[in-house]
Every structure is written in C-alpha cells, then in structure tokens.
C-alpha cells in the first residue's frame, strides 16, 4: 500500500488551502507549472550541494502536486488535459530531482540510473494500465507520494546527521532503495495488469 492510495481521502484536509487558492484566483494548471519549477530548482540545488534548499523545494513540489488535482476537482474542471499535463510534469520532476541528487555526488551514476529507471518504469506501468483498459494503477510498494516523503526525510537526515554509511549518505542510500523498490513496484503493477487483462 502506498500513500498515493490515500489521495481521495485527504480532500477534506486540503480543503482550507484549496479554498484560499481558489479565492485568490490561482488555477490548477498554474499549480502544476509551479510544481515543475520547484522540482527543477530542487534538482539544481541538490546538484550544487544545497541539500536544505533542495529538500525544501521537494516539499513544495509535493504540496503543489497534491493541490492541483484537488483544486481542479473542487472547481469542477478536472479533465484529460489537466491529467495529461500533471503526469508529464511529474515525470520531469522525478528526473530533475533524482538526477540532481546523484549528479551532486550523493551516489555514483550507476546507482542514479538504477533509481531513475525504477521510478520511471513504475510510473509508466501505473498509467499504461489505463491505456490498455484496466484503469489507473497506484498500487505497489512505492508510489510517487512515498518517494517525495522519503526524499524529504532523507534530506533532513543528511543535514541533521551528516556523514556516510559505506560511502553513501542518506540520500545516496535512498536512491538504492528507489532502484530496488521502484523496479519491484513496476513488477507488481505489471503482474496486476496482466491478470486483469486476462479477465477481460
């Protein structure tokens, strides 16, 4: 089970923020673009060694990513264009953030590529399920919301308890976890979709 599965249940928690954002005239697409910009800043910050700024920008990315869909639903304008834009931006955000972490020296590039491919494949299979008629799949052991929360925690630990464990700091080890759990999640989603296709 991943945090992504709780998205429909947190609308009430986010409602005050949604009301405020709607009142000042911010659109869902503006929030999506904002999530893209802060993810790019996060990647640049991690690359430049600014773990504090990078972690803060990841937190903003998580907030904007949660609010854009909530705002669209609240306004009654949730649609295919917004959903498509959101998923494109999310994938670029994943690329910016993870690449920034390993390119900034938290882990060798091989670990970075392992993490990035695991993340991208798990996300791809979640949406490809919809393309073959099964419906969007958020299941598996590691979803996007989980990754963002873990990056924030690892970033905070890297700052508060600096040091390496067998040559990697917390963010570096997190990429190792993303690699293994990302590919495992991709396998879980593949197996689920494969079974569902057989039932059709």
């Amino acid at each position: 089970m991943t945090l992504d599965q709780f998205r429909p249940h947190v609308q009430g928690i986010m409602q005050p923020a949604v009301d405020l954002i709607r009142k000042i005239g911010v659109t869902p697409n503006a929030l999506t673009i904002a999530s893209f910009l802060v993810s790019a800043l996060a990647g640049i910050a991690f690359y430049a060694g600014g773990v504090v700024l990078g972690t803060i920008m990841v937190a903003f990315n998580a907030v904007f990513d949660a609010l854009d869909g909530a705002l669209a639903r609240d306004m009654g304008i949730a649609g295919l264009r917004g959903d498509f834009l959101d998923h494109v931006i999310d994938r670029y955000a994943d690329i910016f953030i993870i690449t920034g972490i390993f390119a900034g020296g938290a882990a060798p590039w091989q670990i970075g590529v392992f993490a990035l491919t695991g993340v991208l494949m798990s996300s791809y299979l979640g949406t490809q399920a919809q393309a073959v008629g099964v419906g969007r799949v958020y299941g598996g052991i590691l979803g996007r919301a989980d990754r963002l929360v873990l990056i924030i925690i690892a970033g905070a630990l890297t700052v508060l308890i600096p040091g390496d464990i067998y040559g990697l700091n917390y963010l570096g080890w997190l990429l190792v976890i993303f690699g293994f759990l990302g590919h495992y999640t991709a396998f879980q989603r593949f197996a689920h979709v494969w079974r569902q296709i057989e039932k059709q």
Side-chain angles (χ1 to χ4, degrees):
M1 182 176 292
T2 70
L3 293 176
D4 291 301
Q5 294 178 317
F6 293 99
R7 289 189 182 198
H9 306 290
V10 297
Q11 182 73 28
I13 298 173
M14 295 189 295
Q15 194 59 47
V18 169
D19 292 340
L20 175 61
I21 293 168
R22 184 172 179 176
K23 185 176 181 179
I24 62 179
V26 176
T27 67
N29 284 350
L31 287 173
T32 303
I33 298 301
S35 74
F36 171 78
L37 294 176
V38 295
S39 69
L41 288 174
I44 294 169
F46 283 127
Y47 174 71
V51 176
V52 173
L53 179 59
T55 303
I56 292 171
M57 290 300 103
V58 169
F60 275 116
N61 175 257
V63 171
F64 292 150
D65 187 43
L67 286 174
D68 59 0
L71 179 61
R73 289 187 293 273
D74 187 73
M75 296 174 68
I77 58 172
L80 293 177
R81 278 190 171 182
D83 187 53
F84 178 68
L85 177 65
D86 183 59
H87 280 278
V88 171
I89 294 302
D90 282 351
R91 299 297 74 75
Y92 272 109
D94 291 336
I95 292 168
F96 280 131
I97 294 169
I98 293 174
T99 301
I101 291 173
F102 76 79
W109 69 266
Q110 294 92 336
I111 291 176
V113 171
F114 181 50
L116 190 57
T117 53
V119 165
L120 293 180
M121 283 304 299
S122 63
S123 297
Y124 168 76
L125 285 164
T127 53
Q128 183 63 15
Q130 191 172 26
V132 297
V134 172
R136 186 77 54 79
V137 175
Y138 290 109
I141 197 170
L142 187 70
R144 185 163 199 273
D146 305 291
R147 294 194 301 268
L148 293 177
V149 169
L150 289 172
I151 290 171
I152 293 167
I153 293 171
L157 289 174
T158 299
V159 173
L160 296 174
I161 313 174
D164 292 348
I165 303 172
Y166 296 107
L168 297 176
N169 62 21
Y170 292 101
L171 285 167
W173 279 110
L174 186 61
L175 294 188
V176 175
I177 293 171
F178 282 179
F180 282 108
L181 295 189
H183 286 288
Y184 182 69
T185 300
F187 172 77
Q188 286 180 303
R189 293 178 177 181
F190 175 86
H192 170 76
V193 173
W194 191 262
R195 289 193 300 268
Q196 295 302 312
I197 291 173
E198 288 182 341
K199 296 177 182 178
Q200 294 180 352

